Amino acid sequence: ARGLDLPNIDWIVQYDPPLEISDYVHRVGRTARKGKKGSAVLFLMPSEIEYLEALGKHGLRPAALSLKETFLACAGKHQQLKHRGANLEEEVAVNIQQRLQCAVQNKALDLVTKARAAFQGSVRAYATHAGPEKSIFKVRGLHLGHVARSFALKDAPSKVRVTKKGKVKGKGSGSRWLGDSKSNDDQMKVKSSVKNMQMAEFM
């Protein structure tokens, strides 16, 4: 994002935490330019909450959003979910997950390959966090089944592979985990995590 001046950007969505704090600043800085208003949202898992302390050391203090209230707000806009069950926020979460999976599995949209490649790239990038933040983003602590679901994938992580040319394949010969990463150590860490998830299958 550095050096780019893209007009009329009012939202910055960071699905993955950047590798450097400076990158976080540059990303957020793409909005609210030239006196205009803008907003930014960063997704963090509970295990990554210490990242907020790292941001705080640089004078950056994002306000936390309530996931429950966000889901309930979604339910208020969906007539079929307004008055159903005590665990409404859980029902909304399941509904959103199912809709995303249906969209990704729609062959006409050709999104499955893109979702698998995004999953691979996200896990590979996760393993490259360095410095003080490496203790926050532990690739061995990732639940790869949950990460795959966050990309609306039904595949078990053990079945998502990528060839040397970057094309995603199913299980078979001639494919490698996570592309051509320069760090064998990082690949071994991810392979170890995947091995623990080999029994994970999704409905």
Side-chain angles (χ1 to χ4, degrees), residues 6-7 24 43 53 58 62 75 99 115 132 137 139-140 147 154 170 187 201:
L6 303 176
Y24 174 89
F43 286 83
E53 295 181 13
H58 292 78
R99 286 170 176 264
F137 303 102
V139 70
R140 288 190 177 185
V147 177
K154 291 184 177 181
Q187 279 199 12
E201 295 287 347

Side-chain angles (χ1 to χ4, degrees), residues 51-163:
Y51 187 67
L52 294 179
E53 295 181 13
L55 291 176
K57 293 178 181 178
H58 292 78
L60 303 166
R61 295 176 177 81
L65 296 174
S66 168
L67 192 59
K68 180 177 180 178
E69 291 180 6
T70 301
F71 282 143
L72 292 178
C74 292
K77 296 179 180 180
H78 199 300
Q79 296 295 327
Q80 295 179 347
L81 296 174
K82 276 188 174 181
H83 306 290
R84 291 179 57 185
N87 298 321
L88 185 56
E89 65 272 18
E90 183 176 334
E91 185 178 352
V92 173
V94 171
N95 183 271
I96 292 173
Q97 181 69 38
Q98 291 174 341
R99 286 170 176 264
L100 289 173
Q101 288 183 182
C102 286
V104 168
Q105 296 299 320
N106 187 335
K107 293 183 179 179
L109 299 177
D110 190 28
L111 293 177
V112 173
T113 299
K114 294 181 177 67
R116 288 173 176 168
F119 164 70
Q120 292 280 334
S122 178
V123 176
R124 181 171 60 183
Y126 203 92
T128 63
H129 280 277
E133 291 149 32
K134 190 169 185 177
S135 63
I136 300 174
F137 303 102
K138 300 175 183 178
V139 70
R140 288 190 177 185
L142 283 179
H143 189 306
L144 295 186
H146 292 170
V147 177
R149 287 292 289 270
S150 73
F151 286 93
L153 289 172
K154 291 184 177 181
D155 307 297
S158 58
K159 292 184 178 180
V160 181
R161 297 194 178 194
V162 63
T163 67

Side-chain angles (χ1 to χ4, degrees), residues 1-5 26 30:
R2 298 188 184 190
L4 297 179
D5 187 12
H26 284 290
R30 296 308 92 194

Side-chain angles (χ1 to χ4, degrees), residues 1-22:
R2 298 188 184 190
L4 297 179
D5 187 12
L6 303 176
N8 303 320
I9 295 179
D10 53 6
W11 270 97
I12 298 294
V13 179
Q14 300 190 67
Y15 197 62
D16 289 314
L19 300 181
E20 302 285 345
I21 299 293
S22 59

Side-chain angles (χ1 to χ4, degrees), residues 26-43:
H26 284 290
R27 287 182 183 181
V28 173
R30 296 308 92 194
T31 189
R33 298 177 68 81
K34 298 180 180 180
K36 295 182 179 180
K37 294 182 179 181
S39 303
V41 62
L42 171 66
F43 286 83

